Every structure is written in structure tokens, then in C-alpha cells.
């Protein structure tokens, strides 16, 4: 067949084009789809495996990623809360918003 392929939108729409006999494996929670087949017939064998280890791995990964995000955001919040200076600025629509002052040298 021509075309086809498995696309993963969360991975910047990367499309995997396996050859006959190849396999693509991924977690069940990973959103994916199929690209249109342009010519011929595409056969797909789907296999679902629900193993508790997979759920535990997902929890560990989610905890790790959440920790990384929090660690990255804490210095930003500290800077904004204690060191950043703000001005009241009127937008074109007349609404007043707080805007961070630019650093002058």
C-alpha cells in the first residue's frame, strides 16, 4: 500500500511508516491516528495490554514531569513576586493592565 502511517499529534504530528512485518508500540493513553491510504490495502493488528506495571510507569513519569515543571516555575514566581517592578499601562481599548517594567541600565 501507499500512504497510510500512524500519526502522533502530540509529537508534532510525526508519522511512522512501518514496513510489512514491523510494529509500532505505544501507551494506550497516547493519542494517535492513521494517515489516509493512497493506494492498496493496509491491514492493522491492534493488541491491547493492560499491565499494572504500565500504569505505575505512567504515574512515575507524570510525577517526574510535574516535579520538573514546578522546579522550573518556582524561580520565575519568586522573581515576579519579590523583584519585578510593574507599571499600570492603558491599552488601546482603554483597559488598564499591569505590565512589567523593562530593566534600564
Amino acid at each position: 500500500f501507499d500512504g497510510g502511517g500512524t500519526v502522533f499529534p502530540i509529537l508534532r504530528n510525526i508519522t511512522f511508516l512501518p514496513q510489512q512485518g514491523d510494529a509500532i508500540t505505544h501507551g494506550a493513553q497516547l493519542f494517535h491516528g492513521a494517515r489516509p491510504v493512497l493506494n492498496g490495502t493496509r491491514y492493522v493488528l491492534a493488541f491491547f495490554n493492560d499491565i499494572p506495571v504500565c500504569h505505575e510507569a505512567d504515574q512515575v513519569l507524570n510525577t517526574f514531569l510535574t516535579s520538573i515543571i514546578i522546579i522550573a516555575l518556582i524561580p520565575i514566581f519568586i522573581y515576579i513576586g519579590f523583584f519585578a517592578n510593574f507599571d499600570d499601562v492603558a491599552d488601546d481599548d482603554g483597559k488598564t493592565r499591569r505590565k512589567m517594567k523593562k530593566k534600564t541600565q
Side-chain angles (χ1 to χ4, degrees), residues 14 18-19 22-23 25 27 38 40-42 50-51 57 62 65-66 69 72-73 81 85 89 92 98:
I14 190 168
Q19 299 300 311
D22 289 348
T25 62
L38 304 175
T41 303
R42 176 184 180 198
D50 189 20
I51 300 175
N62 288 338
L65 293 175
T66 302
I69 291 169
L73 291 177
N85 293 318
V89 177
D92 294 336
R98 304 218 24 118

Side-chain angles (χ1 to χ4, degrees), residues 2-74:
D2 295 318
T6 303
V7 63
F8 294 89
I10 198 164
L11 301 175
R12 296 183 180 175
N13 283 326
I14 190 168
T15 300
F16 291 89
L17 299 165
Q19 299 300 311
Q20 182 177 352
D22 289 348
I24 298 173
T25 62
H26 57 83
Q29 300 294 326
L30 185 59
F31 184 72
H32 62 285
R35 294 279 190 205
V37 174
L38 304 175
N39 182 30
T41 303
R42 176 184 180 198
Y43 295 96
V44 176
L45 173 64
F47 176 75
F48 300 93
N49 193 358
D50 189 20
I51 300 175
V53 172
C54 294
H55 297 294
E56 291 172 13
D58 283 344
Q59 289 175 346
V60 169
L61 179 62
N62 288 338
T63 302
F64 174 73
L65 293 175
T66 302
S67 299
I68 294 296
I69 291 169
I70 290 171
I71 289 169
L73 291 177
I74 286 175

Side-chain angles (χ1 to χ4, degrees), residues 101-105:
K101 286 183 183 179
K102 291 187 177 183
K103 199 175 196 179
T104 56
Q105 297 186 10

